[in-house]
Amino acid sequence: MLHAGAGIAGATALGTLGLGAARAQSAAAANYPNKPITLIVPWPAGGSTDRHLRLLGQILGEQLGQTVIVENRPGAGGTLGPATMVNAAPDGYTVSQFPMGMLRMPHMQKLAWDPLRDFTFIIGVTGYTFGFTVRADSPFKTFDEYIEAARARPGRIDYGSTGVGTSPHLIMEQVAINAKVELNHVPFKGNADLQQALLGGHVMAQSDASGWDKFVDAGQMRLLTTFGEKRTQRWPEVPTANELGYGVISASPYGIAGPRGMDPAIVAKLHDAIHQAMADPRHEEVLAQLNQEVWYRNSEDYRAWAEQTYREDKVLIEKLGLAQG
């Protein structure tokens, strides 16, 4: 009887604690947000992702009635910034861009985080337009000429990307395999650093998202190819790598994620506010400037996409010979 009574009392106490925690969580969601929100951009300031997310963050802040502070945390091919959220409070005040590298890097090296277990998927937003550019005075007038130079000088023809394991890097790894050439890859922390290295003559070429747009339009760089399914509206004269016969297509979607364990009510608030911000004409304008299309996924569909992509990218990493031993 004493044991039974103690058990009932313990269960009641646990139930009361659980109810109290649920009420506290509900109150936090009802008052959310009541302070600034940090949006992590895992690339240096000035690049295409930074340009996009700074504006989206500004519009999101207007929607929520709170300041959204963009914090640049570049490194590790775009995975350093999101990885810092693993130990962050899941209260909705710290969120991050979730680039494709997050689903690839764990196949390439041992990490202290898991891309599916340790994050809350909030919303899918857009995808990159990737292209391959050289300086305007480069001897390479076409992408075929660049590849032929690599065939003539194995390992001597270089290009820069935004880091090992990023989509711009893996695109060129696939091109090199399909074309049977050996390229020299030079990784950078982000596209702003990469643009300056190319303009300064420190690398021959770059594979990157469309942060090079203003340099191409200003005549400082020459766009040799893009990596989408079809030619871009902004540069319709530039062929895709696929139509040139290299068999590579990539868009690399991304969205916004938070730490694991976020209150579903707060996730819903963030999702709805970001979704509304995506429809703002200013957001549509910046996507048009970057030649990016909307890639909307709700929270559930975004997680399902991440789970499938994580499995598929394991096969890709192994095919490219980049999987950890």
Side-chain angles (χ1 to χ4, degrees), residues 95-106:
V95 296
S96 175
Q97 186 219 20
F98 194 89
M100 284 279 285
M102 294 294 290
L103 301 170
R104 291 170 171 166
M105 200 65 73

Side-chain angles (χ1 to χ4, degrees), residues 130-135 138 140 143 146 158-162 168-169 171-172 184-186 188 190-199 202-216 220-225 227:
F130 293 116
F132 192 85
T133 68
V134 295
R135 274 194 357 173
S138 168
F140 307 123
F143 192 60
Y146 174 85
D158 65 38
Y159 74 94
S161 85
T162 45
H169 169 220
I171 286 169
M172 291 305 295
N184 179 29
H185 174 231
V186 183
F188 289 81
N191 38 24
D193 298 342
L194 176 54
Q195 312 294 346
Q196 293 307 312
L198 178 59
L199 290 172
H202 305 296
V203 288
M204 297 178 182
Q206 67 168 342
S207 173
D208 193 20
S210 54
W212 34 254
D213 61 337
K214 54 185 178 291
F215 300 112
V216 169
Q220 295 175 275
M221 292 184 189
R222 184 183 302 125
L223 178 60
L224 301 187
T225 190
F227 296 103

Side-chain angles (χ1 to χ4, degrees), residues 5 13 33 67 76-77 88 106 118 212 220-221 237 239 271 318:
T67 302
D118 293 326
W212 34 254
Q220 295 175 275
M221 292 184 189
E237 73 283 0
H271 167 276
E318 289 174 348

Side-chain angles (χ1 to χ4, degrees), residues 3 6 14 17 39-40 54 72 89 99 112-113 124 130 145 148 168 177 182 184 230 262 264 290 293 299 303 315:
H3 286 302
L14 286 172
L17 284 171
L39 170 58
I40 297 170
R54 279 186 185 276
N72 297 92
W113 47 267
F130 293 116
E145 288 181 3
E148 285 306 314
I177 288 174
E182 181 185 347
N184 179 29
K230 56 186 179 181
M262 288 178 63
L290 296 170
E293 296 182 358
S299 303
R303 168 166 280 279
V315 177

Side-chain angles (χ1 to χ4, degrees), residues 300-318:
E300 183 179 346
D301 289 345
Y302 189 22
R303 168 166 280 279
W305 170 85
E307 290 172 349
Q308 179 180 348
T309 302
Y310 184 62
R311 292 192 299 269
E312 292 175 348
D313 279 5
K314 182 175 187 293
V315 177
L316 172 63
I317 296 298
E318 289 174 348

Side-chain angles (χ1 to χ4, degrees), residues 169-185:
H169 169 220
L170 297 188
I171 286 169
M172 291 305 295
E173 290 287 335
Q174 289 179 279
V175 166
I177 288 174
N178 294 349
K180 297 180 174 57
V181 298
E182 181 185 347
L183 300 171
N184 179 29
H185 174 231

Side-chain angles (χ1 to χ4, degrees), residues 35-77:
K35 62 180 181 179
I37 298 167
T38 296
L39 170 58
I40 297 170
V41 174
W43 311 100
S48 60
T49 312
D50 182 71
R51 286 166 59 188
H52 169 227
L53 291 181
R54 279 186 185 276
L55 180 63
L56 183 63
Q58 177 189 332
I59 301 170
L60 175 61
E62 295 168 5
Q63 299 284 351
L64 293 173
Q66 281 290 346
T67 302
V68 174
I69 301 168
V70 171
E71 188 171 312
N72 297 92
R73 297 184 189 174

